[in-house]
Amino acid sequence: MSFIRRLAVAAMVVASSVTGFGCARADWREEVPVFRIGILGGDLEERRLEDHACFKAQAEQALGVPVKLFASPDYSGVTEGLLAGRLDAAGLGAAGYAGIFLHNPDAVEPIATLEQEDGALGYRSVLLVRADSPYQTLDDLRGRTLMFTERLSASGFLIPYYELSEQGYNPDRFFGRLGFSGGHPQAVAAVLDGHADAGVTWTSGIGDHAAGYSRGNLRRMVERGMLDMSDVRILWTSELIPAGPQVVRKDLPEEAKEIYRDVLLDLADRDQRCFEGMVGRDAVDFEPISHDHYATIIAIRRNGGSGSGS
């Protein structure tokens, strides 16, 4: 990690600990005898646990306490774990973080996010159809079935619902039926299997199209033999969405937060193979991040930008 980034991280640590430093406890490991990390697993839960095994070992060594990984099949499992204090850290989507903040601003704090190859700290949502379908534009999908992922997903629901509505394609009125697949691979599979006319998922939107672009669900599905990009056609792409944060429980001892933050920020330099297994091959690093990075998506959720029930 560069000297400038070190300064930025140090400033964040100082700012977050000024009020609590005087009551910091030297024996924080007695307060946190096990460090619990939540992982969004989807239908690849076992694989995600394997991908995080090397990070778990490095976090254990740095923290000096056992680390346990908890993979949830959906966003709500991780969200509820953080809100209830059953998890100490997790990786979230931007919308998931916004939802937690709006429910309890004192539950978690963001400490890092992913930087992509082009330097962007974000990704995009795409709407796709089967390549052999008759649908060539969004207008062709009027009255058809659209598959979202789940309501706590920025790229799988919140952002596409909001942006499509702003562009005159309010999903509740434009499409004939809306569905929720429970995860990104499942949404794409629903389109491929003919259970939905269109579906949404996330991608970097840069790089080789045939490879599923540089990063995202499409890339992972291609790499695992679950998708051939020639079988789908992308009809719509969102604006850049802030990459989801790595968060920690806000009331954790400051030393524990700092150690965990350093493990994340040093991971790409220390163990590139572990970093790639955890987040994908085409993200380049973790970068420090603050709450302000998510102000827009928090405002969208606060104002009900994703429709009823969101």
Side-chain angles (χ1 to χ4, degrees):
M1 184 168 60
S2 71
F3 177 69
I4 292 176
R5 286 178 58 202
R6 283 285 187 192
L7 287 178
V9 172
M12 291 171 65
V13 171
V14 170
S16 64
S17 57
V18 166
T19 58
F21 183 77
C23 59
R25 298 176 57 180
D27 60 344
W28 67 264
R29 290 175 180 84
E30 295 180 10
E31 182 182 338
V32 188
V34 177
F35 196 90
R36 305 153 300 177
I37 302 174
I39 300 170
L40 299 176
D43 66 340
L44 304 173
E45 179 176 330
E46 185 175 343
R47 178 65 176 268
R48 297 294 287 149
L49 288 171
E50 293 174 359
D51 290 342
H52 280 71
C54 59
F55 176 73
K56 172 183 179 292
Q58 295 186 35
E60 280 184 335
Q61 183 176 7
L63 289 163
V65 296
V67 170
K68 289 190 176 181
L69 303 178
F70 296 88
S72 173
D74 55 31
Y75 286 70
S76 60
V78 172
T79 297
E80 292 168 5
L82 289 167
L83 285 170
R86 295 192 300 268
L87 295 175
D88 300 304
L92 296 172
Y97 170 68
I100 290 178
F101 176 81
L102 291 172
H103 185 85
N104 180 4
D106 295 320
V108 301
E109 62 183 82
I111 57 173
T113 192
L114 284 172
E115 178 187 4
Q116 295 190 50
E117 281 184 318
D118 62 353
L121 301 181
Y123 56 102
R124 298 182 189 274
S125 175
V126 292
L127 183 151
L128 52 79
V129 298
R130 284 177 56 121
D132 60 1
S133 74
Y135 314 123
Q136 300 294 328
T137 69
L138 281 178
D139 290 327
D140 296 332
L141 289 171
R142 182 180 296 276
R144 302 298 179 177
T145 300
L146 174 63
M147 186 66 70
F148 290 115
T149 61
E150 55 180 303
R151 291 185 181 273
L152 291 177
S153 171
S155 58
F157 177 60
L158 180 65
I159 293 299
Y161 191 105
Y162 175 78
E163 290 193 12
L164 286 170
S165 297
E166 290 292 296
Q167 295 164 17
Y169 300 95
N170 182 286
D172 286 323
R173 296 193 291 268
F174 180 78
F175 295 96
R177 183 172 68 85
L178 304 179
F180 291 89
S181 67
H184 286 271
Q186 299 96 312
V188 177
V191 175
L192 294 174
D193 296 341
H195 298 306
D197 298 301
V200 296
T201 190
W202 76 281
T203 176
S204 67
I206 60 174
D208 183 7
H209 173 270
Y213 299 107
S214 65
R215 180 173 167 266
N217 179 56
L218 297 177
R219 175 64 176 252
R220 284 185 178 270
M221 291 185 72
V222 169
E223 289 179 339
R224 292 169 182 176
M226 302 167 65
L227 172 67
D228 187 319
M229 287 296 290
S230 65
D231 291 334
V232 296
R233 177 166 55 248
I234 293 173
L235 299 188
W236 174 87
T237 302
S238 75
E239 298 294 327
L240 191 71
I241 304 169
Q246 295 286 325
V247 303
V248 292
R249 187 161 51 87
K250 204 165 189 175
D251 61 358
L252 276 176
E254 290 300 329
E255 184 179 352
K257 295 180 190 178
E258 182 176 355
I259 292 171
Y260 187 70
R261 181 189 290 112
D262 286 345
V263 173
L264 284 168
L265 296 179
D266 289 342
L267 184 60
D269 292 335
R270 185 177 60 249
D271 191 337
Q272 183 67 24
R273 184 174 181 180
C274 182
F275 173 80
E276 290 178 355
M278 180 179 170
V279 304
R281 295 179 181 175
D282 293 285
V284 297
D285 212 343
F286 280 111
E287 289 288 334
I289 204 71
S290 70
H291 168 78
D292 292 344
H293 189 64
Y294 301 98
T296 298
I297 198 161
I298 288 171
I300 292 173
R301 287 209 66 165
R302 179 181 285 120
N303 295 329
S306 59
S308 60
S310 61

